[in-house]
Each structure stands twice: as structure tokens, then as C-alpha cells.
Amino acid sequence: MAFQGNDGCGADGDGELMAAEAGPVAATGLCLADGTPIAVVAVRDDTGAVSTAGWLDLGTGAFTAGPPPATALPCSATAETQPVEVAAWCDLNPDGAVLAPVVVAYEFDDTGQITGAAFYTPDGRPYTLQGTLGACDTVPPAGRSLVQLCDTAPDGTVTAFVRDYERDDTGAVTGFADYTLAGNPYTPAGAVGACGDIAPCDSPTTPAATTGLCLADGTPIATITTRDCDGVTTQAGWINLLTGAFTAGQPPAGARACGSAQSIQVSGTFCDVDPSTQDVLGLVLVEYQYAADGSIDSVRLVDASTGGTYTLQGELTVCPAGAEQPSQDATVLCDTAPDGSVTQFVRDYRRDENGAIVSHTDYTLDGNAYTASGEIGLCDSDGPECPSTSTLVLCDSAPQDAAFAASAIDPTPYFLGTVANTAIPLTDAQALFDGGTAVFPAPTTSAWRFCWLAGDLSLVGGCPQCGNDGDVTLTVSVQATLDGPNGGDGSDGGLQLYNGATSVMYDGSSSTPVGQTNTYSVTATLPLADVVAGQVRVVLGLETSQGTPKQWTIHDFTVSATVTAPGCGNQFVRAFVRDCTTGQVTTTDTDLAGNPYTPVEPVAQCQPHRDSCSANTADSCLDCRSVVLCDITPGPAGAAQVPPGSGNPTGTLANGVGYTATGATSPVVGQPWWAVDVPGPQVWTFDQPVRVAWSVRLNANACLVLPEGTVVEALHPAHTYDAGTRTVCGGAGASNNDPEQVSRFSHPRLTTLTLTPGGSGAVPFRFVGLIETGTPDPVPFLRHLCSDCNGAIVSTTDTTLDGQPYQVQGEAGSCGSGSGSAVPAPCPVAATFEQRRCDDTDGDGDADTTYTEVWSVPCDGSAPQLVWTYQDDPSIQYTPVAPVQCPQTQPATAVQARLVEISDGGTWDLTAHPLAQSVTLTNVSSAASTVTTVDGAATLHPSQTITWSVQKDSDLVLRGPLTVAAGAGSTVTVAWTERA
């Protein structure tokens, strides 16, 4: 675009996609054979591949490379005794980029205070921080609990210790090992009992803090309850967990359960089941990651024992009854006999796959079987461990550095009204903003004249971490050297900062001598929302003539900024230590590395990253959870087999199921077998959903392709089966005349059974028979529910156990209801994942629309398969035209439409419009005109139209030379577009 006769500009740029950094995950919950707790350290790279780096001894902090010992088992306990706590973080540079993943081992003293921290690489080598320790996206490790007891020596000395009960494969207690609270082996020297049994009234009030409540503004609080020796409880008050302040009495009205921002949800435990033997091959968790609107963003299978990514070997389904679950619960209770004597014992609860308690077993404190004979209840003085410590990761409001960029714009709205004004080309202004120099040339006139440039200031990266809440403090600086030949005369210009049409700061100069360099600097604090909205601009205007001309060289343009918003500062750890006798709570603050830290108030819960600055809504309260349900379809009354008949039989079975067959020819007379002839297929259609089982007899080299979802119930040695293609074939010695060579298959639910012939073999090739129908199996699926801050359900999504969309066919109900086969549902895929792609729909080679690909990973380990593509609505398939690589996100650029008319010798020159992207010339007269390009002069004939344009959307400008000269009596219209 040209201003006052000066030339405009072009601009170019390129972008680079940033690779996602990998982070370590330290998963606890495993113990060595001697009871020592350990943490398995796993690493996931930017491709999603997971590998185990080694394991940490949580008692000593020592790291050992490689997998943990084969004797390591899931820990089982009821009291947390961890003198060392392991956390996974990342070493971040000042821009927030990940330098390296870091494993930190925090050490605590016996009062619960953090006393130190050690840093390791994921493979166990000592690590020295290079930048700042920050959070990585990791799943917090599961906890471990032990039974805490007390040893009372003959002299009255009481020693607290932990008892680790050992279990056999059925979960029954077979022994135990004792440890000090520091994790060292311990041998009791006196009477062993629950710690609450010692001097029950030494502490007449035992306060307990209960978390999980938030004030109406979202501040987390803890309610304090005391209990006296008679068991009477009293609400004493509540504690503000952000400030540590205690307030007596009930919490304020409006306090409610805290709404949490959950982007990752882990389902209950499922089983990897061998489809042939029904053996449980492994315990699996399904990890769902949610987008801001509650939709499922990605799915990952997790090993329930190690926390690493799990590779499915069989079929993912609800665990069969009696399958071992990853944990059981044990607690100390008291049995009060009719004579008043009290006996302490351990009650071991067992849960099913849905977490419900289904049974329990009682043991003495020594691990022997115990039968209760009196009234069962909590032991009177069973209270919390003193002192108790809990920690929260919070965020303060320390200012954060932010990167800004300037984009050249038309300075005309900022011209002075009393002087002549000019503007340098946008290319020159952008060169200055990009780190170069610009020149305000001296004019040939002595009239009073100013020269100008202007730029939009924008936040690099678009939306900041916490949306557009808060303020930004901007400092813009630039230097200008007066080259001469004459000096300034009075006020000779300066730098101005605008918010919209309002000037908020100005820095100027006067009577600048030749050769002097002026530094102009403006600083202002503005609402971050105004910056995000594109309202903030910088304008430089300098005098180039007032009686005498002068030239300026502009250089060293800089922008620095800090963003300040509540809860968007630095992350730190606040430890709450409660004294059980006084109930007083003290707090200490440390950074993520364990060093003392003084937060900048106000302190708040850390804000989740927002992908959009369009509005600051309550999306951060989105709470998503998953429940396992079963799709239950009422079936026929019992099972029934298709009777012998002629070719293509039809009829109604004894259980009321109607059936029709096509392609079922050459029946075996008097037997329920039918031949499947080439080209097939043979199709059995039922009038309602059924579970169906069938048998196959084959000649050598004859094959049958079975329907998707088929389950192998029995495979004869003379037959082979390819699970990937669902094809069963006869081997070298196979014969369909041998009634013993029978393989049996089933399908949990269908209405159409299709069997397609393949291979080769002597006629008749293939027999199918013994077809039996029954009640369809319940199909387990996951229902994902997302609720807002008020608890209202905002979305409901049904998926298969591995994350594919699922449509309920019958009624959704508990998987414990209904009936059907014990054979679990087949495993179509081990996992699914989505990938964002770009499409070129207009053929210019550049991306102009986006869509999502859904890929599935087959259970047999073969290559992933593309199964679906969609744009905004996952239920509507999108067919890409020409997939291309997605570019880095760039700000939208406007295009200005222009039109002029020239005649009788008038000219138009592309060099006067350097931002042009397309030009169209039309001769609307009967006389010829002349067009000149890099190829030379050519005639623009009457009524002729010629167009030039950039080839791609990403091309910046059209390059000349290109001129048109209207001939005598000729009129030419010139239409062009240019970047605004």
C-alpha cells in the first residue's frame, strides 16, 4: 500500500513446527519381596512410545537401571510411610521449552517438613538443573498403604512401626514383615496393638482435617473436627488451605465440593483375556484424555502394575469373576465380647472389578485366621498419625515474561493535522520491527513535514496461559539518529503508545543536533484483554523539514513485556503440617526443587491452559468420569439348533428365532450341515439379535472367511486360523468327510452371519453346520459423563473399551445383570488414536481446511489402520481432497480490493503497488493499449482481459515488471487486490 507517493512493501516469513518434548513418569505401588517400596520410572517419547528406564528405592533414593526384580509385587497397606517421595518434572528454559525430563526425590523429616531434594535423569544419573524446574504432563502415581501398629515395651516405652502383610495368589494373608517408619526392618519387643490403644485419653481432643470442600469463589478449605474420649465429635472450624488461616464455626454458606479440571481420566481395571483359553493375561487401565468441551481427545492402554503403556495380547474386556484385582483393603477393627473384653484384629476387604466390596477375611494382628465373636467396630482411639502432613501444588501471581511482535500498519490515522505528512513503505517499517533499520528521508521541500511509521503489537503465541485475564506491562523502545544535513527545530517528534484511539504514553525530543542519537521509550500497564483484541499500537513520527530538510535513521526497536494474572505465576509446593494435640496448622512453601520459596500474592489454584481467548468461561470446572456399563438385549427363550433340511432352509426355531439362509446348498442328507459353494457367500439371517455358534469342516486348501467379531471356541489340529483376516483353512490332511475334524466358532451378537469361501480344494470344499442360536452376550462399553461446576451433566459419550464410538443396541445396564456366554467380547482393536491433518481443497498446494483422522491399532500387532475421517462432527465422515502437511499457525491477513480506470495515454505500474497479489486488465474500448512485462511489450486488444495472480495462498506478493499504457482513444480498467 502506498502513502503520500511513497512505495509500499512485501513481507515474507517461514514457520517451524515445534516437536513435543517427552517427560518421565514415576509410578509407585510396587514393593520388593522384603516390602521395600519402589517407583518404576517410565519414559514416553514424542512418538508415544513408552520404555522403562529403571526403578527407584523409595527408602534410600538409589536408582537401578532396567526393569524391577521379578519378585516385585503390588504393595498392600493402610498407612503412608514414605520418607522419600518421587515426582517427575521437566527442566525448562526461560521460554518454557523443555530442556530435559527430571526425576526429583524429596526427603522429609519426622515432622513432615521437606528437608532436601535430589535430581536424577530418567535413567538414574545425577542431574544438574540448567533452567527452571517445571511441571510435565504426567499421571500422578498410585499410593501405598500399610497397617501401622505400636510396640509397648515392659518399661512402658511405645514404638510405632508398620506391618506389611504378605499374600498368596488368592489374596489370603500368609505372613508379614515389620518395618520402622523409616523403612528399616523391625522386631517388636513388647505387646503389639493398635496405636490408638495406648493411653487412649492422653489427648482428650484429636482433631481431624477433612479436605474436598471449596468456598463459592473456588478457594479450597479443610473442615476441622475434634473427638473426645467418649467418641463425641464436634465441628471446631475450618482452614483456608491457601493462606493457612483458621476460622471457628461452620464453613460459609455456598461451600461445596470442589470442581476439578480433569483433562485425563483413568477408567476402572479391565482384563486382557486370551480368547481361546480365557486366561487373564494382564490387568489394564484405559486412560482417556478429554478436550475442553468434554469430548474424548485420545485413548491409551496402561499397565495396572507398572503404569507404562500396555500392549494388548488378547481381548480387552471386563475381568471374569474371581480374577485377581490390583489391591485389597485392610484395616484394624476391634471385637468387643459380651464380657467387655476387646480384641483387635485385621479385616481384609475384597472388591470386585467395579470397586464394590464383595467379601472380607479376618486375621489376628499376627496374620492368623480370626473369627469375631462380639460387636465389631472401630477401636475407640484410632486416630490419625501425629503430626500429619499434606501438600498442594499452587500458583502465585509473579509476573511472567512475555514475547511480543510488531506488524507494520498504515499510520495515516495518527498524522498531525497542521503539517504535511508522509509515511515510509510498510516494507521498511517491518524491516525495523524485525531487527533492522529504516530511514525517514529528507524531502526536497522546506515546508513543515513529518514522516511516520506505525505497528500493531501482538502477543507471540496468541492466547496466554490463563486466557485474557490480568494485565500486561509493555515497554517499547527505539533509537533515531539525525543524519542531517540540518538539525531539528523545536519539537521534532517522538514515540507514542496507543490503546485503541487513546494515547496512553508519549516520549519526544526537541532541537536535536546533527549526529545525535535519541532513545525514545514508552512504558504502560494495559489490560491483557485489549492486547489480545489487537487494540495496542506503537507510532513513531519525526520532523523531516521545517525551513530546512533533514534525514533520520531509525534502529534498535525493542519490545519487552510481563504478564501479571492471579494464579498464573510460578508453581510452588505448600506443605500443611497439623499438630494433632493443638489442631494448629503451619505451612511452609518451597519451589518444585524443594528450596524455600516466597510466593507473590495472591496465591490461587493453578489455572489450566486455555486454547481460546474468546471468553473466560467456566470450562475449567469441567469434570469428566467414566463408568462401565453393558448393552443388554433381551434374547430368545433358551438355545436352539437349526434342524436338518434342504438347501437354503428357512423357518422358526424352538426358541422363537426366525431364520433364512442363502448360498447354503447341497445339504448332508439327514444332518444339519450345508455346503458353501464358490463364489458364495453363504448368509444366515435371523429376525432378532442372537448369540450364534457354528461348526466348520474343510477339505485341504479350502478356506472360509468368518465375520468380524468371531470368537474361536475350538480349532481342530487339521485346521489353521488367521486372526488378522478371520480366515480358517484346511491343512494338508484335512477332509470334510471326517466327522471328527470339526472346528467350532461363535459370535456374541449378530443378526446376519456371512461366510465367504476362499482357497481351493476338492468338491465339496466346505461344510458349515450345527448352527445354534441363543441369548446375545451383554456387550461391555464405557459411558463418559462430563459435568460443569454446578454438577449438571453437559455431555455423554459412549465408546467401546478401547475408545471407539459405540451405539447402544439394547438397554444400558449393569454388567452384572443379564445372561449370556462366558466368552468375552472379541477384541477388534488394541487401541485407537486421532491425528489432526490438513487438506488442500483448491489445488494451490497450500492447506486451506483441517480434519481429523481416526486410526486403530489391531490386536494382532499389525500396522495401524485408518478407520474414519471427520471435521467438526465425528458422526459425519469427511473425504479429503489432497492431504498436505499442516503449516504453523499464522495470523490472518486481510486483502484489499482496488479498481481504477485509465485512458488516452494514462499508465498504471505494478511497482507503485508492491503488496498486490492479483491484477486484471480489461480493454473496454475499440482501440488497442500496450502491456509491458518481463517478457517485453505486448498488445492489449479491444475487449481483451488478462489476469495475473499469486499461485498459492501463502505467496506474499506479485512480482513485476508489469505496466499498462492506454492508447489513444483506449480505456482500460485495472482491478487488483493487495495485502492490507
Side-chain angles (χ1 to χ4, degrees), residues 703-888:
C703 299
L704 274 177
V705 180
L706 308 180
E708 184 175 348
T710 292
V711 176
V712 180
E713 295 193 350
L715 186 68
H716 193 273
H719 299 160
T720 62
Y721 183 70
D722 186 334
T725 60
R726 308 182 310 280
T727 302
V728 57
C729 295
S735 171
N736 61 16
N737 290 321
D738 186 347
E740 300 298 325
Q741 291 187 10
V742 175
S743 290
R744 187 73 170 169
F745 304 90
S746 67
H747 195 287
R749 175 202 298 251
L750 51 70
T751 55
T752 301
L753 173 63
T754 301
L755 307 166
T756 304
S760 62
V763 178
F765 303 146
R766 312 150 189 88
F767 284 159
V768 173
L770 305 180
I771 301 172
E772 183 180 82
T773 64
T775 300
D777 292 347
V779 178
F781 68 96
L782 282 168
R783 176 156 291 174
H784 309 275
L785 306 169
C786 292
S787 57
D788 60 18
C789 296
N790 299 318
I793 300 297
V794 296
S795 69
T796 301
T797 306
D798 294 337
T799 70
T800 61
L801 298 183
D802 46 24
Q804 294 192 85
Y806 181 76
Q807 180 69 41
V808 176
Q809 304 296 319
E811 295 183 359
S814 169
C815 292
S817 60
S819 61
S821 170
V823 179
C827 171
V829 297
T832 63
F833 62 92
E834 293 187 352
Q835 179 172 287
R836 197 70 170 169
R837 293 296 306 273
C838 290
D839 195 13
D840 172 23
T841 61
D842 56 12
D844 66 355
D846 279 342
D848 50 45
T849 190
T850 61
Y851 65 98
T852 299
E853 294 179 343
V854 181
W855 291 76
S856 68
V857 180
C859 291
D860 59 4
S862 57
Q865 301 175 0
L866 178 64
V867 297
W868 192 252
T869 52
Y870 69 91
Q871 287 185 304
D872 296 328
D873 187 349
S875 66
I876 301 176
Q877 187 172 16
Y878 173 77
T879 303
V881 178
V884 294
Q885 183 176 358
C886 293
Q888 184 182 16

Side-chain angles (χ1 to χ4, degrees), residues 1 7 44 65 147 164 175 293 305-306 487 561 567 574 716 731 764 781 897 942:
M1 186 179 294
D7 293 342
R44 177 167 55 190
V147 175
D164 185 7
D293 60 356
S305 298
T306 67
R574 174 161 289 177
H716 193 273
F781 68 96

Side-chain angles (χ1 to χ4, degrees), residues 359-425:
S359 64
H360 67 267
T361 307
D362 295 337
Y363 302 93
T364 66
L365 298 182
D366 291 333
N368 299 316
Y370 178 77
T371 301
S373 59
E375 183 178 351
I376 307 301
L378 294 175
C379 299
D380 287 344
S381 301
D382 185 18
E385 181 184 355
C386 294
S388 64
T389 302
S390 60
T391 59
L392 284 177
V393 176
L394 301 173
C395 284
D396 68 0
S397 300
Q400 301 295 299
D401 292 336
F404 273 75
S407 301
I409 61 171
D410 180 5
T412 301
Y414 308 101
F415 284 175
L416 295 176
T418 57
V419 301
N421 297 282
T422 61
I424 64 171

Side-chain angles (χ1 to χ4, degrees), residues 422-450:
T422 61
I424 64 171
L426 293 182
T427 49
D428 293 355
Q430 192 61 52
L432 171 70
F433 295 149
D434 292 341
T437 61
V439 174
F440 284 2
T444 58
T445 177
S446 60
W448 192 14
R449 183 182 295 265
F450 266 66

Side-chain angles (χ1 to χ4, degrees), residues 66-335:
T71 55
L73 295 172
C75 305
S76 175
T78 60
E80 297 181 354
T81 58
Q82 297 183 351
V84 176
E85 180 176 334
V86 178
W89 306 102
C90 280
D91 192 358
L92 308 176
N93 69 11
D95 296 327
V98 175
L99 300 175
V102 183
V103 176
V104 184
Y106 294 102
E107 299 177 359
F108 297 83
D109 61 18
D110 55 4
T111 68
Q113 306 289 337
I114 296 177
T115 59
F119 307 110
Y120 301 95
T121 62
D123 59 2
R125 292 178 288 112
Y127 181 80
T128 302
L129 284 178
Q130 307 172 52
T132 302
L133 200 63
C136 301
D137 291 333
T138 60
V139 179
R144 178 175 186 257
S145 57
L146 302 173
V147 175
Q148 179 176 323
L149 301 172
C150 279
D151 178 17
T152 304
D155 61 358
T157 302
V158 177
T159 303
F161 68 101
V162 291
R163 176 156 290 177
D164 185 7
Y165 289 96
E166 301 172 353
R167 305 174 186 275
D168 60 16
D169 294 340
T170 67
V173 172
T174 59
F176 63 88
D178 296 333
Y179 300 91
T180 66
L181 298 185
N184 300 317
Y186 178 77
T187 301
V192 174
C195 293
D197 208 39
I198 309 301
C201 279
D202 284 349
S203 178
T205 60
T206 304
T210 303
T211 59
L213 285 182
C214 280
L215 301 181
D217 63 356
T219 301
I221 65 173
T223 58
I224 303 299
T225 304
T226 61
R227 179 173 57 186
D228 61 20
C229 291
D230 296 327
V232 179
T233 58
T234 304
Q235 170 111 16
W238 55 279
I239 297 174
N240 185 318
L241 294 182
L242 299 184
T243 65
F246 175 84
T247 303
Q250 296 289 331
R256 57 182 174 82
C258 299
S260 61
Q262 298 183 5
S263 62
I264 295 180
Q265 173 76 24
V266 179
S267 72
T269 305
F270 298 99
C271 281
D272 184 359
V273 178
D274 188 311
S276 300
T277 65
Q278 300 306 299
D279 291 337
V280 175
L281 306 176
L283 299 176
V284 185
L285 304 176
V286 184
E287 176 189 276
Y288 296 88
Q289 184 158 351
Y290 295 87
D293 60 356
S295 62
I296 296 174
D297 204 21
S298 64
V299 180
R300 184 171 73 98
L301 299 184
V302 180
D303 190 310
S305 298
T306 67
T309 297
Y310 184 85
T311 300
L312 204 64
Q313 307 171 58
E315 299 170 350
L316 187 65
T317 185
V318 174
C319 292
E324 180 184 359
Q325 297 302 304
S327 66
Q328 292 173 296
D329 302 324
T331 187
V332 176
L333 299 176
C334 280
D335 180 9

Side-chain angles (χ1 to χ4, degrees), residues 541-745:
L542 298 175
E543 176 190 280
T544 55
S545 177
Q546 186 174 206
T548 58
K550 62 216 67 176
Q551 174 177 296
W552 299 79
T553 298
I554 322 299
H555 52 93
D556 292 305
F557 176 86
T558 62
V559 181
S560 61
T562 58
V563 175
T564 304
C568 287
N570 299 321
Q571 290 184 328
F572 68 97
V573 178
R574 174 161 289 177
F576 301 87
V577 182
R578 180 178 57 82
D579 187 291
C580 289
T581 301
T582 65
Q584 294 298 312
V585 175
T586 59
T587 63
T588 57
D589 297 330
T590 63
D591 62 20
L592 298 183
N595 303 311
Y597 180 74
T598 302
V600 177
E601 299 293 339
V603 170
Q605 290 179 309
C606 297
Q607 298 293 319
H609 180 75
R610 295 178 179 169
D611 295 328
S612 172
C613 286
S614 58
N616 289 320
T617 65
D619 287 345
S620 60
C621 290
L622 189 68
D623 182 11
C624 297
R625 58 195 183 277
S626 302
V627 294
V628 181
L629 299 175
C630 272
D631 187 357
I632 301 172
T633 302
Q641 181 176 296
V642 177
S646 60
N648 294 329
T650 183
T652 301
L653 301 179
N655 58 5
V657 175
Y659 67 95
T660 301
T662 59
T665 61
S666 306
V668 179
V669 178
Q671 299 182 28
W673 291 89
W674 290 265
V676 183
D677 294 333
V678 176
Q682 184 179 112
V683 179
W684 294 80
T685 303
F686 307 98
D687 62 2
Q688 58 185 282
V690 292
R691 181 185 186 276
V692 63
W694 66 95
S695 296
V696 172
R697 288 156 58 181
L698 300 167
N699 273 347
N701 300 320
C703 299
L704 274 177
V705 180
L706 308 180
E708 184 175 348
T710 292
V711 176
V712 180
E713 295 193 350
L715 186 68
H716 193 273
H719 299 160
T720 62
Y721 183 70
D722 186 334
T725 60
R726 308 182 310 280
T727 302
V728 57
C729 295
S735 171
N736 61 16
N737 290 321
D738 186 347
E740 300 298 325
Q741 291 187 10
V742 175
S743 290
R744 187 73 170 169
F745 304 90

